[in-house]
Amino acid sequence: MVSNQSTSSTAGRPGLQLPRWAGSFGFQIIAALIVGLGLGLLAKYTGSTKANPNGLGATLQTIGSSYVSLLQTAVVPLIFTAVVSSISNLREVSNAARLAWNTLLWFAITSLVAVLIGTGLGVLLQPGANTGISGDAEYDGKQGDWWAFLIGLFPKNFLGLGASSTVTDSGAVTTSVSFNVLQILVIAIAVGVAALKVGKQAEPFLALNASALAVIQKVLWWIIRIAPLGTVGLIGNAVAVYGWDTIGSLGKFTVAIYIGLALVLLGVYPALVRSHGLSVKQYFSGAWPAIQLAFVSRSSIGTLPLTQRVTERNLGVPRGYASFAVPLGATTKMDGCAAIYPAVAAIFVAQFFGIQLDFSQYLLIALVSVLGSAATAGTTGAVVMLTLTLSTLGLPLAGVGLLLAIDPILDMGRTAVNVAGQALVPTIVAKRQGILDETLYNAPRTGEAFREEEAPAAVDRELAESKA
């Protein structure tokens, strides 16, 4: 009897219940950032280095790389099923051609604004002048090339996969398999368009594809739910390996990049939102879960399911249109990686090697950034885009090697801006075309990115009720 009373009294104490915000996805990510930063500093100051990590450093590296590997594992099936599904969903959207054209147009407009900001900062801040670092860094990795870019659009096999072998110092041969996101995108677009042309006979295939997409998104949901753990490893490893010393040697360049990212994220995007009569606060509170995940994962594709969900549920973009625009943006809309970064980095390289750029070359930077953003292909890093820009301008590719050391630090901010833009453009286009659910856009936020138990039918029903 006493035991029962004691149990009941304990269970009823309100002080034992955690605040609702403490269990939210956003709070977990922020807490993981703080923990990862602390553990990274601890690992660094206990002697962990990139070449010889100590126990804590190796643990953080393993956790971070394993989480990224989990995200990348789902990239190929996700891109294929999402793009095929998005194209087939255009059947349910009126004025599909106009929506597609307006989406691409706003992709280009925002990218142009971003690259102009990057170019202006590069000229104003002079990040490549008086850096105090040597110019003997070499880069012999993957390079961007316009001809190779065009040839690479043609798939070599149905899955867009390739294999490469390397011989180690001990004579052992290791083989690795990679995928070409652009080729997968081309294949998916061709299959999606063909399914639309076939018509009724393609319905079973489209149903199977939609089912496969739902399964893949469920798996990605599980991966996303452990993002706080991955965050601890990724941030901790970045701090332990690179610390503040590396950033300091390229401090002006790092500051220039993050100023550019901040101007786009906190200046250009809010201005566009406000100019279309929408609440800036609601945009950021709606897109923030995806922006947070993008910052720590450094992958637009890995963040795609969350970006699409918040674009639909929080920002009020119709599912039929969002399922086309967001996957397309995740592979081609890169204001951080393909606009701000290559503009500032190209100017940095020119200044570092004492090369004077003329007006035509600045125009060429803008052209390459707007047209070549698909070369980044939604995966981590923007090195290919940078080499594409440098080779087009005739600048030394050795400059890439100078910037590789801080690339992971920069890539977090770049990807966050990428994803913010991938949610923004569909919202703007939907508003301009009169199909945005403003009731849903302006609704109070629940604090959750999305709820796992919700089925698509339930979401559609809720959207219909909100419109009614």
Side-chain angles (χ1 to χ4, degrees):
M1 186 69 172
V2 175
S3 175
N4 289 340
Q5 288 178 346
S6 176
T7 302
S8 175
S9 175
T10 302
R13 294 178 187 171
L16 296 179
Q17 296 179 354
L18 289 174
R20 184 175 182 179
W21 54 264
S24 70
F25 183 79
F27 174 79
Q28 293 170 7
I29 291 292
I30 293 174
L33 283 169
I34 296 173
V35 173
L37 177 63
L39 292 177
L41 290 173
L42 179 61
K44 180 174 180 59
Y45 290 112
T46 53
S48 182
T49 63
K50 184 176 183 179
N52 297 297
N54 58 20
L56 178 57
T59 301
L60 292 172
Q61 184 180 27
T62 301
I63 293 174
S65 61
S66 297
Y67 184 72
V68 172
S69 296
L70 284 175
L71 285 173
Q72 292 180 336
T73 299
V75 165
V76 174
L78 176 65
I79 293 176
F80 180 84
T81 55
V83 172
V84 171
S85 180
S86 67
I87 292 175
S88 65
N89 285 338
L90 286 177
R91 297 172 302 173
E92 305 170 7
V93 181
S94 58
N95 299 322
R98 180 183 297 177
L99 285 172
W101 162 248
N102 276 272
T103 301
L104 294 174
L105 177 62
W106 277 98
F107 280 178
I109 290 174
T110 52
S111 294
L112 179 60
V113 172
V115 74
L116 291 177
I117 289 175
T119 302
L121 288 171
V123 173
L124 179 64
L125 299 180
Q126 300 284 305
N130 303 317
T131 61
I133 58 176
S134 62
D136 56 357
E138 296 292 336
Y139 175 73
D140 56 1
K142 187 176 181 181
Q143 301 176 7
D145 176 81
W146 281 110
W147 184 247
F149 172 75
L150 295 175
I151 296 296
L153 292 175
F154 296 92
K156 296 180 180 179
N157 55 69
F158 181 74
L159 297 177
L161 298 176
S164 59
S165 299
T166 57
V167 180
T168 64
D169 294 337
S170 61
V173 179
T174 59
T175 302
S176 59
V177 178
S178 61
F179 55 87
N180 187 312
V181 175
L182 285 176
Q183 291 183 7
I184 298 170
L185 184 63
V186 170
I187 294 168
I189 291 174
V191 172
V193 172
L196 286 181
K197 294 295 183 180
V198 170
K200 188 175 180 180
Q201 289 180 312
E203 290 298 331
F205 168 75
L206 293 177
L208 175 62
N209 182 81
S211 178
L213 177 59
V215 172
I216 294 165
Q217 287 181 326
K218 175 63 72 174
V219 173
L220 271 167
W221 161 250
W222 294 337
I223 297 173
I224 288 170
R225 288 307 301 164
I226 62 172
L229 179 61
T231 299
V232 172
L234 289 166
I235 298 298
N237 181 64
V239 173
V241 172
Y242 303 101
W244 310 117
D245 299 334
T246 305
I247 297 176
S249 64
L250 292 166
K252 192 182 292 187
F253 177 75
T254 304
V255 168
I257 293 294
Y258 269 94
I259 289 177
L261 296 174
L263 287 175
V264 172
L265 181 62
L266 304 178
V268 176
Y269 290 172
L272 289 174
V273 170
R274 176 59 66 186
S275 67
H276 286 84
L278 298 174
S279 167
V280 175
K281 178 182 177 182
Q282 288 296 103
Y283 162 71
F284 277 114
S285 64
W288 195 248
I291 295 173
Q292 286 179 316
L293 181 60
F295 182 82
V296 297
S297 70
R298 298 168 47 213
S299 173
S300 297
I301 291 294
T303 314
L304 171 58
L306 188 55
T307 308
Q308 183 171 332
R309 184 60 62 94
V310 299
T311 303
E312 295 172 8
R313 283 195 52 81
N314 292 352
L315 301 181
V317 178
R319 167 167 294 192
Y321 170 53
S323 61
F324 163 78
V326 178
L328 180 64
T331 54
T332 60
K333 172 62 176 168
M334 305 286 167
D335 287 346
C337 292
I340 297 171
Y341 177 72
V344 178
I347 295 172
F348 168 89
V349 172
Q351 293 170 352
F352 183 86
F353 288 101
I355 301 173
Q356 188 68 34
L357 297 178
D358 57 30
F359 182 72
S360 64
Q361 289 173 306
Y362 287 121
L363 289 179
L364 199 55
I365 291 175
L367 180 64
V368 172
S369 298
V370 173
L371 297 182
S373 60
T376 58
T379 56
T380 57
V383 175
V384 173
M385 184 63 197
L386 176 56
T387 62
L388 181 66
T389 305
L390 295 181
S391 60
T392 302
L393 295 173
L395 296 175
L397 290 181
V400 180
L402 299 171
L403 305 176
L404 283 179
I406 60 169
D407 191 72
I409 302 295
L410 301 178
D411 202 28
M412 293 187 289
R414 293 189 312 230
T415 310
V417 171
N418 292 345
V419 168
Q422 291 158 17
L424 173 72
V425 170
T427 304
I428 290 177
V429 173
K431 170 66 176 178
R432 294 175 66 88
Q433 298 299 315
I435 60 175
L436 184 70
D437 187 341
E438 295 192 47
T439 301
L440 193 56
Y441 182 95
N442 293 312
R445 305 300 182 207
T446 63
E448 288 295 331
F450 55 86
R451 295 186 292 273
E452 181 182 9
E453 68 272 10
E454 286 181 328
V459 176
D460 290 337
R461 183 167 59 252
E462 185 176 333
L463 287 174
E465 290 173 353
S466 67
K467 291 179 180 179

